[in-house]
Amino acid sequence: MSTASSYRALWIVVFVFGCDRSSDSSPAAAPAPPPARAIGSASSTGGAVTANSTKPGCAHTGLWAVCSVENRLRQAGFVARRVQGQGPDRPGFSVKPIVYTLGRSHLEVFIYPDEASLARDVVKMDTLRVAPIGTAGSWEIPPLLIRSGNLAAVLLSENPRQAERLSLALTAGAPQSGSPR
């Protein structure tokens, strides 16, 4: 037997035994998941939402939370910078917005405790002007209202491609229980 065929036979044996799993061996235990973070909690650093700012403790409940919005923006490729402090009171909305800048655009996110609370506000609103029915609205440029579950977002942008991307990212829905992302 030549040396080359000896090596070939050795590699075949190593491969066969390396790939073979005996039926009595138990699979390795999976590591425990990280503890879940409260739904309404979020970092108050006000920094940019970047690829390095993952939020592994963000609970997947089917409802939007600040951390799930920021994760979705990051996953969609947006560099969102959270504006310090609370956003202004907006007529028609019963919750204060969380405000972000997306380059030259402005995003205000309103997170309600549930869908019914949001629906109560939206039914009294002109959704094209994003203002209470019968009023002109106070936005600097025409707003885009995006609704998804317990979230309403108002985007002020002159970039239609960015508006479409943001709308698709948010209307895909909040992370559901059991989803990996």
Side-chain angles (χ1 to χ4, degrees):
M1 185 182 254
S2 72
T3 307
S5 32
S6 296
Y7 282 122
R8 194 173 304 131
L10 178 63
W11 280 111
I12 291 172
V13 169
V14 168
F15 178 76
V16 169
F17 284 109
C19 292
D20 184 33
R21 276 194 171 242
S22 64
S23 60
D24 60 346
S25 67
S26 61
R37 199 163 77 186
I39 291 174
S41 66
S43 167
S44 60
T45 59
V49 179
T50 63
N52 294 330
S53 64
T54 58
K55 309 236 187 264
C58 191
H60 292 192
T61 63
L63 293 174
W64 286 103
V66 174
C67 59
S68 57
V69 171
E70 291 177 352
N71 281 342
R72 185 63 57 83
L73 292 173
R74 179 185 43 78
Q75 290 167 352
F78 288 100
V79 178
R81 187 164 302 279
R82 189 167 173 185
V83 176
Q84 291 289 349
Q86 284 196 329
D89 284 329
R90 291 291 185 185
F93 293 98
S94 59
V95 298
K96 287 207 177 260
I98 299 134
V99 181
Y100 298 91
T101 58
L102 305 170
R104 294 182 182 173
S105 301
H106 180 85
L107 176 67
E108 293 189 14
V109 177
F110 302 84
I111 299 176
Y112 286 77
D114 52 45
E115 258 183 273
S117 301
L118 171 60
R120 281 190 294 275
D121 280 357
V122 172
V123 76
K124 298 179 261 180
M125 194 178 293
D126 176 338
T127 56
L128 292 178
R129 290 190 174 116
V130 191
I133 294 173
T135 64
S138 60
W139 306 100
E140 303 85 46
I141 62 175
L144 171 65
L145 176 65
I146 302 165
R147 285 183 58 193
S148 176
N150 65 315
L151 173 138
V154 178
L155 177 66
L156 302 174
S157 177
E158 294 179 352
N159 183 336
R161 179 174 286 152
Q162 182 185 50
E164 180 182 24
R165 283 182 52 229
L166 182 73
S167 181
L168 290 171
L170 294 178
T171 58
Q176 299 297 307
S177 176
S179 69
R181 294 175 34 147

